[in-house]
Amino acid sequence: MIDLFASYATTRDLLPDQGSITWVGIAETEALVELLGNPTREISGATMDDVCATAMDLSGEEAIVLVSQHGGWTVLFEPTPFCGSDPRAFQQFSAHSAALNVSWTVNHDVWVTYASGGQIVARFDPLDLAAVQPKSGAVWLRELPVTSSQLAADWMAACLALGEHLSGIGLDANWLRAGHRGVVVRRSPVVNTAVSHLDLDDDELAAAQQDPRVAAVIAEPTEDKLPLITELIARIAVSSANLPGHVLVDRAFQLITTDPDHRGDTPEMRAQLRAWSNDLVRQANAAFESSEANGSGHVLPGHETAHGRLLLQGAAVETLIRALANDDPAYVAYKTASQAQATHPNTANGDAGRLRALLLAAHHIYEQG
């Protein structure tokens, strides 16, 4: 597998800045395309560059996919939107086999998903394997023929190597430049509807439905709910880290709940929060140096030690900083949720499940945008 990983060392440079690749253990390409939408026209001999260019001219209700079938597997490439990575479509892809997807954006957000028998086995950021969902996916990760070090060093090469290992299809430079079948589809309702409850396990779904606000978000994750999503995520982070009452927290939430166009002192607020975060990290290092763990371990976040609790509080402050970013609201909500995971939300009280649901909602809105 090392040679396979090494063979993809320069492939990232040949790929577009954003895209989605799905390997599906099915040879019936028509059935797969129809899961994405109603085919309206085809482009024979289409290259990856061709479909990327065509995508720029499509309406919001259309998408284009590059389809290539080899043996018992099919490879799909989508420039945007990423219909194939939608949880419900992806689970249908894998209903009678297995499927692997890697999706990446111009903002360097990366998601890898593996499903088998219609169930999501693992969904993760290759640079944050500890946050794999569902948690049982950690077992699958440990059994991968690519290592965590390879994923961290070059996630694209590792994912392409894994895709070839599963399917036998090598997406080398020749494949990327070759002509394949391009299909324009009118996007299926299965892709456009709300976040799939199937992507939440039973405990996560129950936790989300305990809070009417979160339940309303996942039932209909729309752009107008983004301010609420970001606020709820930030409140979970502050609560999870037991961040003590502070005037900066109160002021931060005042700004978070204010229309972004009327946040006059946001840069100053972010600077003050950054200084507080840095101070918490310094306190955590000092607490570690004076603890019995010094010399026998690392400064790690967690509720069990003084330095660990300080790092969790620092992560909560970083979440507030993310929530106040001046960027696309869907991207802000998504990145805020990703940062909030570093506060180790409690599974027993449902915070972890609610955060997971809100992250999925933000990710759904972001991809649909």
Side-chain angles (χ1 to χ4, degrees), residues 51 210 253 332:
V51 297
Q210 285 173 356
F253 276 112
V332 170

Side-chain angles (χ1 to χ4, degrees), residues 208-240:
Q209 292 179 333
Q210 285 173 356
D211 187 323
R213 298 168 300 176
V214 180
V217 165
I218 65 172
E220 190 176 1
T222 50
E223 189 173 352
D224 62 296
K225 293 187 177 72
L226 286 169
L228 174 62
I229 292 173
T230 302
E231 178 192 354
L232 292 174
I233 291 167
R235 292 195 183 280
I236 289 173
V238 168
S239 174
S240 298

Side-chain angles (χ1 to χ4, degrees), residues 129-348:
L129 300 184
V132 61
Q133 294 291 337
K135 292 299 183 184
S136 58
V139 176
W140 180 80
L141 283 174
R142 288 194 293 270
E143 297 173 349
L144 286 183
V146 293
T147 67
S148 58
S149 297
Q150 289 173 329
L151 284 164
D154 188 339
W155 57 264
M156 179 62 80
C159 289
L160 293 174
L162 179 58
E164 182 171 349
H165 173 78
L166 290 172
S167 68
I169 303 173
L171 305 191
D172 58 13
N174 290 330
W175 188 94
L176 297 175
R177 286 192 289 261
H180 304 282
R181 180 187 176 202
V183 184
V184 176
V185 299
R186 185 166 296 279
R187 295 164 64 187
S188 168
V190 74
V191 176
N192 291 324
T193 51
V195 170
S196 172
H197 286 176
L198 297 176
D199 205 37
L200 296 169
D201 64 33
D202 291 343
D203 290 339
E204 291 169 337
L205 180 57
Q209 292 179 333
Q210 285 173 356
D211 187 323
R213 298 168 300 176
V214 180
V217 165
I218 65 172
E220 190 176 1
T222 50
E223 189 173 352
D224 62 296
K225 293 187 177 72
L226 286 169
L228 174 62
I229 292 173
T230 302
E231 178 192 354
L232 292 174
I233 291 167
R235 292 195 183 280
I236 289 173
V238 168
S239 174
S240 298
N242 294 316
L243 193 65
H246 196 291
V247 64
L248 289 180
V249 175
D250 295 336
R251 288 176 55 197
F253 276 112
Q254 288 176 359
L255 289 174
I256 290 170
T257 56
T258 299
D259 187 314
D261 293 335
H262 299 91
R263 294 176 182 173
D265 57 350
T266 299
E268 178 186 350
M269 181 79 259
R270 283 169 55 87
Q272 292 178 20
L273 289 170
R274 176 70 63 201
W276 186 16
S277 174
N278 292 340
D279 184 55
L280 286 167
V281 172
R282 284 192 291 269
Q283 291 181 49
N285 289 329
F288 178 76
E289 291 294 333
S290 62
S291 71
E292 295 180 358
N294 184 22
S296 61
H298 303 280
V299 187
L300 298 175
H303 294 284
E304 297 78 17
T305 63
H307 62 266
R309 290 188 290 273
L310 286 165
L311 286 180
L312 292 180
Q313 291 177 7
V317 177
E318 288 292 327
T319 303
L320 294 175
I321 295 172
R322 292 284 180 90
L324 290 170
N326 181 23
D327 209 329
D328 173 70
Y331 181 68
V332 170
Y334 168 63
K335 296 300 288 185
T336 302
S338 299
Q339 173 61 41
Q341 292 179 323
T343 64
H344 295 193
N346 192 312
T347 300

